[in-house]
Amino acid sequence: MQSRRRLSPDARKDEIVSAAVALFAENGFDGSTRDVARGAGITQPLLYRYFPNKESLIEAVYARVFLESWNSEWDAMLADRSLPVRDRFQRFYEAYTETVFDPVWLRLWNFAALRDAQIYQWYNHVVEEQILKPLVRERRVELGRDQRFQVSRADLEVPWLLHGGLLHHGLRRHVLGIDADMGREHMIAQALNMYFLMTEAQAG
């Protein structure tokens, strides 16, 4: 039997996280560290040398899947006032869904919502700070309202309808295998139409 190749500590840690991503995407965050170790081809005691507990491993999975998938170019795209807000967010959501409409990403997002409040709260915080609050502020500017007012929880309800609806579309299509009647770009445009009509009515 061929012996397992030696890996650097960083490479071994990366391999453990990859095994955890695969396991948690399939079984949810109830999957055990013993099963993660088996998937990585190592012993459970060795796994604990890199991750002292399951929570630290979940944090590494969260960072890999949810944080490292964020493209820093998206920030500039959302802030580019040379384009109307609607055009900016159409471009953004086309790029964003190109990344997150991945079965592993969507399954982990769904499991996080169902079974692990902490990881879902982390994800929600990123979405609100990086996407939804900028959308509210930029829309205020476009409507001639003062953007300096704090974005309240109530202000985020309609943007969450937009964002959550897009992710649910991805889940239905790429995880559940339900065919969509419209292409991704058209679906994003329709969702943005809804958002802009609602915010226009609120401003009236």
Side-chain angles (χ1 to χ4, degrees):
M1 181 176 177
Q2 186 178 6
S3 62
R4 184 179 179 85
R5 72 190 189 282
R6 295 180 63 86
L7 298 175
S8 69
D10 287 344
R12 178 71 71 199
K13 189 172 185 178
D14 186 70
E15 195 168 74
I16 293 170
V17 174
S18 294
V21 168
L23 177 70
F24 294 154
E26 185 64 29
N27 299 317
F29 293 99
D30 291 335
S32 69
T33 55
R34 187 182 305 277
D35 289 333
V36 172
R38 186 180 298 114
I42 61 174
T43 64
Q44 193 176 25
L46 179 57
L47 182 148
Y48 284 129
R49 287 175 54 186
Y50 292 90
F51 298 97
N53 51 51
K54 185 177 176 182
E55 185 60 31
S56 64
L57 182 57
I58 289 175
E59 289 178 9
V61 168
Y62 166 78
R64 164 79 66 84
V65 176
F66 295 113
L67 295 186
E68 293 177 15
S69 62
W70 183 266
N71 187 333
S72 61
E73 294 179 359
W74 295 342
D75 296 305
M77 186 183 298
L78 294 175
D80 181 9
R81 290 184 178 173
S82 68
L83 294 174
V85 178
R86 196 186 185 293
D87 291 349
R88 279 184 260 166
F89 276 82
Q90 177 74 32
R91 292 176 58 201
F92 164 75
Y93 271 116
E94 287 180 9
Y96 180 74
T97 55
E98 182 72 28
T99 295
V100 305
F101 279 12
D102 169 80
V104 169
W105 194 102
L106 290 164
R107 287 177 67 87
L108 285 171
W109 165 72
N110 191 51
F111 281 129
L114 292 174
R115 302 183 183 182
D116 195 294
Q118 184 61 59
I119 196 170
Y120 193 61
Q121 289 170 8
W122 290 337
Y123 166 74
N124 284 356
H125 178 74
V126 171
V127 169
E128 289 183 355
E129 294 300 321
Q130 301 288 110
I131 304 172
L132 304 187
K133 287 183 179 180
L135 173 58
V136 171
R137 294 188 185 102
E138 293 302 306
R139 182 62 171 152
R140 284 176 178 173
V141 171
E142 196 166 71
L143 291 170
R145 297 168 59 195
D146 193 336
Q147 64 171 320
R148 292 172 296 178
F149 288 114
Q150 183 177 1
V151 178
S152 69
R153 300 305 309 172
D155 291 327
L156 290 171
E157 286 303 314
V158 175
W160 264 120
L161 286 175
L162 164 68
H163 189 87
L166 294 176
L167 290 184
H168 184 67
H169 172 90
L171 187 69
R172 290 173 61 245
R173 185 165 192 175
H174 298 283
V175 175
L176 301 179
I178 300 173
D179 288 335
D181 294 331
M182 64 180 73
R184 183 167 54 90
E185 291 80 5
H186 184 57
M187 178 272 301
I188 293 168
Q190 293 291 84
L192 286 169
N193 282 343
M194 176 194 71
Y195 173 75
F196 278 83
L197 285 171
M198 293 179 74
T199 52
E200 192 170 323
Q202 288 175 339

